[in-house]
Amino acid sequence: MRVLDLQDFDALRFGRETMVEQGVDVRQVAAFRPDSGIEDLCRELTAVHRNDCTLATSEAERRLLVDNYNVPAAKVVVAPWGYPPLEGKSAKIPGFAVRTGAMFIADWRHRPNRDAAKWLVEEVWPRVHKQLPEVELRVFGANPSLADTAMSRPDINAVVAGTCGNVEKAMLQHRLLVAPLRYGAGMKGKVI
């Protein structure tokens, strides 16, 4: 049996990325569905049809494949990302008063993540800083370029820190984890 793991629906993500770059309204970006003539979609649908089963990361993407692109329902199953419950760990989470600031974490090589970090630091955080000037934002991520690390804005308490070393420790130190993704496809690991 051949199985395709469709972790990222490229045609959907690339189309949404183009729309964001063109300044299209967020509701239109969210509602975007690739046209059957788009090369990326043709490539992905060819792969879907060559396999016995396709794993979609969400019910929405399963429905899109079945309803919009006529993939047989029996060939597509939802296999979302999942993490085991925090059983016993909740007692180890520091209280709200002990934690500070906000954080964003992502791999810089993935374009939606780079776009999110840039939008967060340049557009969103200045507005947050006006209302909450004492709150610090730390942006973590693997594989930052020099341009990425240069985005730090000490004037608004926004620090692009690069790799954090220990993700769990970093998350336990912050009050808020933000995921300012403007486009993408699939299930976002940042919000699970």
Side-chain angles (χ1 to χ4, degrees), residues 171-188:
M171 290 177 77
L172 291 173
Q173 293 171 344
H174 292 86
R175 288 183 175 176
L176 181 65
L177 174 66
V178 296
L181 296 167
R182 297 194 300 164
Y183 63 89
M187 178 66 66
K188 302 293 107 196

Side-chain angles (χ1 to χ4, degrees), residues 60-125:
E61 289 190 0
R62 188 189 77 75
R63 296 268 17 122
L64 184 62
L65 288 168
V66 172
D67 296 345
N68 292 53
Y69 305 118
N70 301 315
V71 175
K75 286 186 69 167
V76 186
V77 297
V78 177
W81 294 17
Y83 294 94
L86 292 174
E87 295 172 21
K89 287 191 174 188
S90 60
K92 298 176 186 175
I93 297 174
F96 185 79
V98 178
R99 296 175 280 132
T100 61
M103 68 175 277
F104 172 61
I105 186 165
D107 188 325
W108 289 93
R109 291 178 297 189
H110 192 54
R111 287 194 317 256
N113 293 338
R114 178 169 276 122
D115 174 80
K118 185 175 181 185
W119 184 61
L120 175 61
V121 172
E122 293 178 0
E123 302 291 330
V124 176
W125 204 253

Side-chain angles (χ1 to χ4, degrees), residues 33-180:
R33 299 297 178 262
D35 182 82
S36 59
I38 294 175
E39 185 177 333
D40 290 320
L41 179 62
C42 292
R43 178 183 45 80
E44 285 182 296
L45 290 177
T46 299
V48 167
H49 288 294
R50 284 185 180 156
N51 287 279
D52 301 306
C53 180
T54 296
L55 305 178
T57 60
S58 69
E59 177 61 24
E61 289 190 0
R62 188 189 77 75
R63 296 268 17 122
L64 184 62
L65 288 168
V66 172
D67 296 345
N68 292 53
Y69 305 118
N70 301 315
V71 175
K75 286 186 69 167
V76 186
V77 297
V78 177
W81 294 17
Y83 294 94
L86 292 174
E87 295 172 21
K89 287 191 174 188
S90 60
K92 298 176 186 175
I93 297 174
F96 185 79
V98 178
R99 296 175 280 132
T100 61
M103 68 175 277
F104 172 61
I105 186 165
D107 188 325
W108 289 93
R109 291 178 297 189
H110 192 54
R111 287 194 317 256
N113 293 338
R114 178 169 276 122
D115 174 80
K118 185 175 181 185
W119 184 61
L120 175 61
V121 172
E122 293 178 0
E123 302 291 330
V124 176
W125 204 253
R127 295 174 184 175
V128 172
H129 182 72
K130 282 182 182 177
Q131 299 295 315
L132 303 165
E134 71 286 355
V135 177
E136 181 184 65
L137 168 68
R138 296 186 63 79
V139 179
F140 296 106
N143 307 299
S145 69
L146 292 175
D148 298 328
T149 55
M151 280 196 304
S152 284
R153 294 271 314 272
D155 60 310
I156 58 168
N157 287 337
V159 178
V160 178
T163 305
C164 70
N166 184 318
V167 174
E168 184 176 346
K169 182 178 178 183
M171 290 177 77
L172 291 173
Q173 293 171 344
H174 292 86
R175 288 183 175 176
L176 181 65
L177 174 66
V178 296

